[in-house]
Amino acid sequence: IRKAMKGIIHNINKQRAMVAVLTEQEDYSIFEMLGYDDFDIGDEVSWIEDNPSGGCEVKNISKNTTIEVLFQNHYISEKNVKQQLLF
C-alpha cells in the first residue's frame, strides 16, 4: 500500500517557481511549479510516495486541485529552506 505524504506550504519563491512544504515528518520537501500553478502559503497538499523524484502529481487539498510538479529535494532542514528555494 502506498502512503500519501501530507504537508503545509511554508514558503514560495514565485520568481523561481519553487515551493517548500513542511511535511508531517517536520522536515521540508521542495518542488518546482511547472507553469502557473495556484499554490499559496498555508495550503495543505499531499502526494503519493514518501520522496518522489522528478515529476509527480500534488493534490492541493485546500483548493481541491491536482497539479503536476517537479520535485527537487526532500528531508531538508529549516535552516536550508531558503537556499533550496533559490532565493
Side-chain angles (χ1 to χ4, degrees), residues 5-47:
M5 179 68 77
K6 283 187 177 180
I8 303 292
I9 294 182
H10 174 77
N11 204 338
I12 300 173
N13 180 342
K14 290 198 182 268
Q15 291 170 320
R16 301 263 189 172
M18 301 295 282
V19 177
V21 178
L22 177 59
T23 70
E24 294 174 314
Q25 282 74 24
E26 299 188 7
D27 53 21
Y28 293 84
S29 289
I30 308 295
F31 65 78
E32 181 179 353
M33 296 183 281
L34 302 173
Y36 175 76
D37 295 320
D38 193 17
F39 292 106
D40 293 307
I41 292 172
D43 285 354
E44 184 178 9
V45 295
S46 70
W47 58 89

Side-chain angles (χ1 to χ4, degrees), residues 59-70:
K59 180 169 177 66
N60 186 330
I61 297 165
S62 300
K63 295 188 168 90
N64 196 30
T65 57
T66 301
I67 299 168
E68 182 81 11
V69 302
L70 192 61

